[in-house]
Amino acid sequence: MFILIPPFSETPFRILFASILIFFLPGYAFISAMFPGNREISGIERFTLSVGFSIVIMVFDGFLISLTVWKFRPNSIAISLVLLTFLFGIIAYLTRKRLPLEEQFSFSYKDFIYSLTAPETCNVEEEREVCYDEHIEDKRFAARNRKKIASMRKTSKEMKRPALQTGERLSPEITKTLIIAMVLSIVIAGSMFAYAKATREKETFTTLYILGPDGKAENYPENFSTSDPIQIIGGVENFEYAKINYTLEIILDGTTLNTMEITLDYEDKWEKELTITPTKSKQGKQKLELVLYKEGLEGFSYRTVHLWVNQVLSTEPVQTNEHEVIDFAEIVNPSMESEEGWEFITTNDTIATGYYMNNSGIYSSKAYVINASYEGMVNQYTTHTVQQIIHSNESANVVLSFYLKDTYTKGTADKDETQFKRIVFNNEVIWTDGIYGDEGWQHVEIPVTLQEGNNTLTFMLLQEKLQELHPVEVIIDEVTFIPESALSPYIKEDNTVEFELPTSCVLPLPKTSNSKFTVEWNGTDSESGIYYYDIQYSTDGIIWKNWITKTITTSAEFEGKEGYTYYFKSKSVDNALNEEGNKSTYDASTTVDTSAPTIELDITPNPTSDITYLTVEASKPLLSVKCVITPRNFGASENIELATNDNITWTSKYAVEVQDTYDIEITAKDYSNNTAYTFGTLYTDETLEELTIDFEPSKTSDEVEITVTSSTALEEEPTVVVKDRYGYKLEVNYESSDDNEYIYTATTDDDDLDYTIHDGTARVTVTAKTVDSLTLYEEDTFIIDRVDPTIKSISPEEEATINKDSISITASYSDDRAGIDKTKITLLVNGIDVTDNAEIDYSSIYYLAEGLENGKVEVQLTVTDQAGNTEKDEWVFYVSA
């Protein structure tokens, strides 16, 4: 852990633990496996051999690791030494277990220190004798001189002996063998290390790095925007022992910003300040990557390094290019808004005319129209032109820009064309295009040379002779000269400029807002993409003011005044400088209202035995209403959802499960996040009376009978209100009563009403007072369906001829609201009712007609839904068996 795992590996303990791992542990485990007993070698010998063999094992291990894919690396060496130590430890454990317990080696710090400090006085040749001194507890007496007392000695079996005895030594032959083996191992290990060092291939690599603006690996920039780019320093250094061609790719949020080719010799370094500007507006954290490739972009990246940066939205206007103005040549009426400057000429005034027309231009303004209304053939070429002589004070190369549209949308472009749009400048055809295909508006930019003096510009519709001609209008608008520097980068080979008008809108706003609120907008352009937005606002929807212009942001905070309603609309411009058309109405609106709403809670009935209805009435539209019901004695709080159709009245049905007293808390928020509270208490009583509601029928197309039954006597007949799914009231009439049972009728007829009753679920609410002045309440629903069912997919088909006398007659049908009443379906074949022999379900009918005579067969199918609406279909087919 202290060697490999940060942050532990960054402490001084790394050196201590690494030294123990390299110079002691592997050899100690190995020696423990070789000498598992406590009599074979002494402690100092065990320690010395552990250090020596650790060095040997490390060298051998390093040599072998360098031949593998892991190479000679700190991580690979450390892991391999740990694994070898673990392996030797297991072997040592197994070999040690094979010895008697008293002969197994175990480490004792006290005995180890004693073995290092105690002098030798014993004769090693006398194997059964033991030295005694004051350090040995088990002795008969203390001798002044350390002499062998043969007559008083104890055998090794009778006396407990320490694990490490300096008196017990290996024979000189074994000691010599071990020393020779250790020396040879060190010599071999050193030779292998020298060989590995001499034959090791030189390590080749390349460094790729990012530095902050001050050239250090710190103070990296964090925030940037389209108007406020960031600067970093990118660097590449070559240690490949060869000349390398690199490709450096700069990527921001998955988008390639730039690609650089870099060639470096060995030990050469490349550093450059890089300016990072986002190509699109996207708020939030983004990944900035430098990706390095060797010898081109093919294959995998060689090195990568990245930063996380945060893009913030800039509200500064986009810097648009300002071009010089062509003021030495003036076009009269270039936008076609007046009726001067342009002259219409035709070779056949019976088939074409030219005129100015309102609301036909590119931006719904006035434009010039060449109207060729003739359909058929002509015997000679005809031309219809609108032209102007333009005076220039100097000769110059400029770009002619205009908008053109033809109204013929059929045919295939450039195939069998018979009519052509042409542009002629100074008697030279500079642009031509057929009318086939639905091209819409075309924005054309053509480089031309203005000559000093008069220049003639002609827009022409050419019609070929002896060819089928179709009526067409050619519309011309916004004719101008622009400098060559203003030529659009989105121009195509046919000199047309991308002309998909962008669209944009301000996103919906809440009905009411605080004085400060966020306005959001977005836009789309399928070709060149959105360049910028202009956002306008108004307080009356008529007079508009600029709020934000030439912005690439998609949201901003607006501050308004209390009581004012603010209207917003957007206009977008794409990168080809196509402008979105002017909008006649606003995109979104909101009213600044900082006053808190007032709310009232109604609980009916209260008290209740099982069901009650909660109604919250607000003084203004609410964004949300939360209801928390908490029993005082049993159970936990419960959140109840309330529904609304108008955001003013919110309702919910609540079923009481336990007889208790309930505290009700209502929290309401309006669209300005103003909050209002109200509270109520719901009481329960199982002895309360109740109302029940029954319908006949429960699904109706005309009239329904409503029966209200009370479990107790009432002061008067209940009040019954019936509303359709949109809240419009049905006409309800009281019919009769009998012993707490009250009968009403409700009709779906709306002929005498000033509104329409809608099909769907109708809600019935009943309120009544008992003779004890207790309020009872109940509600229920029934279905209104006045739409006939649909019969489809009949077989055989109408007027079909069948060449056999056994025929399957089938049909499918459906009803979207009440559903089909299959008991009222009838099928007649040649006037005979065969319904009982048919297979009928709720969506189809099947009947096998056998023995039909040749000739016409008449089929009649009648389908009725559960609301009583009936649909009948009749058809015939023929049998020719």
Side-chain angles (χ1 to χ4, degrees), residues 132 141-149:
Y132 288 91
F141 56 88
R144 294 179 181 270
N145 298 317
R146 300 190 177 193
K147 299 180 179 179
K148 295 182 287 183
I149 311 299

Side-chain angles (χ1 to χ4, degrees), residues 158-189:
E158 296 173 328
M159 183 180 69
K160 181 180 178 182
R161 54 187 292 175
L164 294 173
Q165 294 277 1
T166 58
E168 294 186 9
R169 312 295 293 176
L170 293 174
S171 65
E173 291 79 8
I174 297 176
T175 302
K176 183 184 294 187
T177 302
L178 287 174
I179 292 174
I180 292 173
M182 185 174 69
V183 171
L184 288 176
S185 298
I186 294 175
V187 171
I188 295 172

Side-chain angles (χ1 to χ4, degrees), residues 603-862:
I603 308 171
T604 302
N606 189 17
T608 183
S609 59
D610 54 359
I611 300 293
T612 192
Y613 296 88
L614 309 177
T615 303
V616 176
E617 291 284 346
S619 59
K620 57 193 293 190
L622 300 177
L623 173 64
S624 64
V625 175
K626 293 183 179 180
C627 175
V628 179
I629 300 180
T630 305
R632 292 185 179 179
N633 299 307
F634 306 101
S637 297
E638 186 177 0
N639 292 315
I640 303 299
E641 290 188 6
L642 282 77
T644 183
N645 291 324
D646 56 7
N647 295 93
I648 296 290
T649 303
W650 299 69
T651 60
S652 180
K653 180 180 179 180
Y654 182 68
V656 175
E657 296 182 357
V658 179
Q659 298 300 309
D660 200 346
T661 300
Y662 296 84
D663 293 320
I664 301 177
E665 178 183 356
I666 303 293
T667 305
K669 279 191 176 182
D670 64 12
Y671 288 92
S672 301
N673 282 327
N674 300 309
T675 304
Y677 304 91
T678 190
F679 304 90
T681 303
L682 171 63
Y683 302 95
T684 59
D685 187 349
E686 290 185 338
T687 64
L688 293 176
E689 307 298 341
E690 60 181 4
L691 300 172
T692 58
I693 305 174
D694 296 299
F695 304 102
E696 181 57 42
S698 59
K699 300 175 182 179
T700 184
S701 61
D702 181 22
E703 190 174 86
V704 62
E705 182 179 276
I706 304 170
T707 301
V708 179
T709 305
S710 173
S711 61
T712 187
L714 303 178
E715 284 186 350
E716 56 184 3
E717 63 270 10
T719 301
V720 178
V721 177
V722 182
K723 294 182 180 180
D724 69 4
R725 61 193 178 103
Y726 289 115
Y728 294 103
K729 290 184 178 181
L730 278 68
E731 183 178 343
V732 178
N733 296 310
Y734 170 69
E735 300 294 338
S736 62
S737 65
D738 181 19
D739 192 19
N740 294 335
E741 184 177 272
Y742 303 84
I743 299 176
Y744 301 78
T745 57
T747 179
T748 61
D749 186 5
D750 53 14
D751 293 340
D752 297 332
L753 304 176
D754 56 0
Y755 51 82
T756 301
I757 301 299
H758 299 84
D759 285 9
T761 301
R763 183 171 297 278
V764 179
T765 58
V766 179
T767 55
K769 277 190 176 294
T770 68
V771 293
D772 298 328
S773 298
L774 177 66
T775 300
L776 302 181
Y777 179 89
E778 190 58 71
E779 66 177 50
D780 207 341
T781 60
F782 65 92
I783 300 296
I784 301 174
D785 182 3
R786 293 170 293 180
V787 178
D788 294 338
T790 302
I791 299 176
K792 53 188 176 182
S793 301
I794 59 173
S795 177
E797 296 179 352
E798 176 76 25
E799 301 291 336
T801 299
I802 309 300
N803 297 323
K804 55 184 180 179
D805 60 358
S806 179
I807 300 170
S808 297
I809 299 176
T810 62
S812 61
Y813 37 78
S814 62
D815 186 80
D816 292 337
R817 294 198 184 279
I820 298 296
D821 185 352
K822 69 177 186 178
T823 64
K824 296 182 179 180
I825 293 176
T826 59
L827 178 65
L828 303 181
V829 178
N830 287 333
I832 301 173
D833 189 345
V834 296
T835 307
D836 293 341
N837 297 322
E839 297 179 12
I840 302 173
D841 60 24
Y842 289 101
S843 61
S844 63
I845 186 172
Y846 169 82
Y847 172 69
L848 180 61
E850 296 179 321
L852 294 176
E853 297 180 357
N854 289 344
K856 182 170 70 174
V857 178
E858 297 178 348
V859 181
Q860 177 181 300
L861 175 63
T862 303

Side-chain angles (χ1 to χ4, degrees), residues 527-543:
E527 295 286 340
S528 59
I530 298 295
Y531 186 19
Y532 62 81
Y533 299 93
D534 291 333
I535 310 299
Q536 294 182 312
Y537 77 95
S538 172
T539 55
D540 57 8
I542 300 174
I543 301 175

Side-chain angles (χ1 to χ4, degrees), residues 35-43 46 96 99-107 161-165 168:
F35 304 103
N38 56 13
R39 298 182 181 182
E40 299 159 324
I41 56 176
S42 66
R46 189 177 294 272
R96 189 173 296 171
L99 299 176
L101 182 62
E102 64 274 7
E103 295 183 12
Q104 293 180 10
F105 168 74
S106 61
F107 179 77
R161 54 187 292 175
L164 294 173
Q165 294 277 1
E168 294 186 9

Side-chain angles (χ1 to χ4, degrees), residues 64-246:
L64 295 175
I65 286 291
S66 66
L67 301 179
T68 67
V69 295
W70 295 288
K71 301 299 181 182
F72 192 90
R73 296 287 187 273
N75 288 358
S76 58
I77 287 295
I79 294 173
S80 61
L81 289 178
V82 169
L83 293 177
L84 286 173
T85 302
F86 182 72
L87 176 61
F88 292 148
I90 293 176
I91 297 174
Y93 174 79
L94 296 176
T95 56
R96 189 173 296 171
K97 283 296 183 182
R98 298 177 61 185
L99 299 176
L101 182 62
E102 64 274 7
E103 295 183 12
Q104 293 180 10
F105 168 74
S106 61
F107 179 77
S108 170
Y109 176 78
K110 179 179 178 181
D111 292 338
F112 176 72
I113 296 300
Y114 174 71
S115 70
L116 297 178
T117 59
E120 298 182 14
T121 60
C122 294
N123 186 357
V124 297
E125 295 180 356
E126 298 181 16
E127 298 179 355
R128 304 287 294 177
E129 295 179 351
V130 180
C131 291
Y132 288 91
D133 64 16
E134 63 273 20
H135 296 285
I136 302 177
E137 297 178 357
D138 191 1
K139 60 186 179 178
R140 296 292 180 93
F141 56 88
R144 294 179 181 270
N145 298 317
R146 300 190 177 193
K147 299 180 179 179
K148 295 182 287 183
I149 311 299
S151 62
M152 302 297 296
R153 68 176 184 266
K154 293 184 179 181
T155 64
S156 60
K157 294 182 179 180
E158 296 173 328
M159 183 180 69
K160 181 180 178 182
R161 54 187 292 175
L164 294 173
Q165 294 277 1
T166 58
E168 294 186 9
R169 312 295 293 176
L170 293 174
S171 65
E173 291 79 8
I174 297 176
T175 302
K176 183 184 294 187
T177 302
L178 287 174
I179 292 174
I180 292 173
M182 185 174 69
V183 171
L184 288 176
S185 298
I186 294 175
V187 171
I188 295 172
S191 301
M192 294 179 67
F193 180 78
Y195 171 78
K197 183 70 176 177
T199 60
R200 182 175 67 89
E201 295 182 2
K202 295 179 180 179
E203 185 176 10
T204 60
F205 62 94
T206 297
T207 59
L208 172 67
Y209 54 87
I210 297 176
L211 303 177
D214 55 358
K216 299 179 180 179
E218 58 186 13
N219 299 325
Y220 292 102
E222 296 181 356
N223 298 323
F224 72 133
S225 67
T226 53
S227 62
D228 185 20
I230 57 174
Q231 280 76 38
I232 60 172
I233 295 175
V236 181
E237 197 163 357
N238 179 5
F239 294 97
E240 304 284 349
Y241 292 90
K243 185 177 181 179
I244 302 295
N245 296 318
Y246 298 101

